[in-house]
Amino acid sequence: MDENYEVIVVGGGFAGVAAARTLGRKGVRVLLIDKNPYHQFQPLLYQVATVQLGVSEVARSLRDIFRGQPNVRVVVAEVTGVDVGAKRVTTSDGKSYEGRFLILASGAEANFFNTPGAEVTYPLYSVDDAVSLGGTLSNVLETADRADDGTEIHFVVIGAGPTGVETAGALAETVKYVLSDYFSPRLASRCHVHLVDMVPNVLNVFSDKSKEYAGRRLAAMGVQLHLGTPVAEIARDKVLLKDGTEIPASLVVWAGGLKAGPVVAGSGLPQGRGGRIDVNPDLTAPGVEGVYVLGDAANMTDAKGNQLPQLGSCALQAGTWAAKNILADRDGGHRAPFAYVDKGYMAMVGRGSAVAEVGPGPKRVLLNGPLAFLAWLGVHVVLLSGTLQKIRAVATWPSDYITHRRSFVVLSRPDSSHTP
């Protein structure tokens, strides 16, 4: 038997949680469905993988988030079918749920762009990804330490956007500051970090000043940059570039792009760039009433038709905006086009170093170095979900970034089928 709700939200990320919270406060009966029982803070997953933060700092129970909103029900299940016309979703256990409105905010998955061998890499877009990568990183280092045979260890990060830059920087800092203490200087001297991208600069959407600073800082930390040449093929022991360059690889991290996940692909809605839905200005899906597509599942534009970024802050604002449009629909009002407040971009580069471009468009204030680093810390503390998560992060970061004292303990081991 179908269960009926006013609004069904698929996805417990920034957009889905923001929409459900806003609707819940207005007494709307909401069902939120996600395959995981937690909301994850994706921008900090690389810190989980490199053992700078624990899982509890970046993941918060969805039921805890909605503890004070009894009209919002959380169901942990994988969505296997979507009927956008009926606003109905079906889950893997055979149950179906129907609503007056449907919000698809099901997030994204790694886009490998048909790169041969990409299945041996480690993407970094979920808590499971971060834990798996952290386990493999530990395994590679423990194996090399036991062998102690002088073999060089190479960590390759593919994709020089914010995720790739932050991951490469964190790996370089782990090698420079942590391994010497936790393992031995000898092991640290054998480790190398590579950052690869087909574009000629790191942080391609940032200003030239930020690109240059980030590139210089990464190089100073020992990251070897391979820019301007696409990846041709990936093997378990190397990455081959299209110009014939071979980079040895003990572990390969994929930060090369995202695409909409299978929920969107199976919705029957027309897909655009990255497999995402090109939504209307009011965030509704084209050609169907009462369906909204948000966050990494959507290609959203501003009033001038400019593409909006795939950022957590944008998804959060979109979730709140879609909820207000649903309330307007329900109460006989008029939907409004999404008015995104551009707060800029930022990326961590290393200890005490970051780049931040704060504010809208051409009026951005450009920061780099310690001041940008402090801005990065402040923004991420604010965006973290839950008071405990904020407290734990604030308690962890000073020790990590000032003293570099870090326990290199992981909670799982990589499965043998995925170990390079």
Side-chain angles (χ1 to χ4, degrees):
M1 179 183 294
D2 291 356
E3 295 189 32
N4 296 291
Y5 294 83
E6 283 191 82
V7 181
I8 295 177
V9 179
V10 178
F14 285 113
V17 166
R21 269 179 155 172
T22 303
L23 292 165
R25 291 186 186 118
K26 296 295 184 179
V28 176
R29 189 162 185 253
V30 178
L31 173 68
L32 187 147
I33 307 176
D34 195 285
K35 65 181 179 181
N36 298 309
Y38 54 79
H39 165 74
Q40 64 182 23
F41 191 79
Q42 188 171 318
L44 293 179
L45 291 176
Y46 78 95
Q47 294 202 3
V48 176
T50 53
V51 203
Q52 295 179 42
L53 290 176
V55 170
S56 61
E57 278 91 276
V58 301
R60 183 184 177 193
S61 165
L62 286 168
R63 290 189 174 90
D64 181 56
I65 292 174
F66 297 102
R67 186 187 299 274
Q69 295 182 313
N71 52 312
V72 178
R73 181 189 175 196
V74 173
V75 167
V76 178
E78 184 174 1
V79 172
T80 55
V82 175
D83 183 337
V84 294
K87 269 75 78 179
R88 181 188 298 119
V89 299
T90 304
T91 54
S92 56
D93 57 4
K95 291 187 176 181
S96 61
Y97 306 89
E98 190 171 312
R100 180 180 172 189
F101 298 94
L102 173 63
I103 296 176
L104 298 180
S106 48
E109 61 185 15
N111 188 348
F112 296 117
F113 300 101
N114 298 315
T115 304
E119 65 275 2
V120 305
T121 69
Y122 288 82
L124 195 50
Y125 301 114
S126 71
V127 169
D128 286 345
D129 289 343
V131 171
S132 179
L133 175 55
T136 301
L137 174 62
S138 175
N139 193 47
V140 168
L141 293 171
E142 294 287 1
T143 300
D145 185 59
R146 286 196 304 272
D148 196 24
D149 58 2
T151 301
E152 301 290 296
I153 302 146
H154 295 266
F155 305 118
V156 182
V157 180
I158 298 176
T163 298
V165 165
E166 292 183 332
T167 303
L171 286 170
E173 293 226 317
T174 297
V175 169
K176 184 175 181 179
Y177 296 107
V178 180
L179 297 191
S180 293
D181 182 42
Y182 188 80
F183 287 96
S184 69
R186 175 178 168 81
L187 177 62
S189 69
R190 292 157 51 198
C191 293
H192 309 275
V193 180
H194 305 261
L195 182 60
V196 180
D197 204 305
M198 64 183 293
V199 300
N201 300 289
V202 300
L203 300 176
N204 196 46
V205 300
F206 285 65
S207 68
D208 289 343
K209 180 181 178 181
S210 295
K211 294 175 190 174
E212 291 167 6
Y213 175 84
R216 289 197 310 270
R217 178 62 182 159
L218 288 168
M221 295 165 62
V223 178
Q224 299 177 44
L225 302 177
H226 308 265
L227 304 173
T229 304
V231 173
E233 185 177 353
I234 302 167
R236 290 189 179 274
D237 61 348
K238 64 184 176 183
V239 173
L240 178 65
L241 305 186
K242 287 195 175 179
D243 64 359
T245 301
E246 287 191 8
I247 306 170
S250 308
L251 183 155
V252 183
V253 180
W254 184 272
L258 294 169
K259 65 179 180 180
V263 171
V264 167
S267 68
L269 294 170
Q271 294 176 263
R273 185 172 179 266
R276 295 180 286 269
I277 307 302
D278 296 328
V279 295
N280 297 319
D282 60 6
L283 303 177
T284 57
V288 59
E289 284 295 318
V291 177
Y292 291 76
V293 187
L294 310 175
D296 286 332
N299 290 318
M300 299 178 287
T301 59
D302 62 17
K304 297 180 180 179
N306 299 314
Q307 194 74 38
L308 296 180
Q310 303 294 317
L311 295 176
S313 61
C314 185
L316 191 153
Q317 290 181 46
T320 302
W321 199 276
K324 291 178 180 178
N325 275 344
I326 286 174
L327 292 170
D329 267 340
R330 186 193 66 168
D331 299 334
H334 298 284
R335 297 191 297 268
F338 180 37
Y340 170 58
V341 179
D342 186 356
K343 298 180 180 180
Y345 304 94
M346 55 180 56
M348 174 82 76
V349 186
R351 183 190 190 195
S353 298
V355 291
E357 304 189 354
V358 184
K363 297 181 180 180
R364 294 197 202 283
V365 176
L366 306 185
L367 305 173
N368 59 51
L371 191 58
F373 174 76
L374 291 174
W376 183 96
L377 289 177
V379 167
H380 284 72
V381 168
V382 170
L383 288 175
L384 276 169
S385 176
T387 302
L388 287 177
Q389 283 69 27
K390 298 176 193 290
I391 292 172
R392 288 168 182 156
V394 169
T396 301
W397 279 330
S399 172
D400 186 38
Y401 288 117
I402 295 172
T403 70
H404 289 287
R405 298 287 299 176
R406 190 188 311 165
S407 175
F408 210 83
V409 177
V410 295
L411 300 180
S412 69
R413 309 298 284 176
D415 63 83
S416 59
S417 65
H418 198 63
T419 305

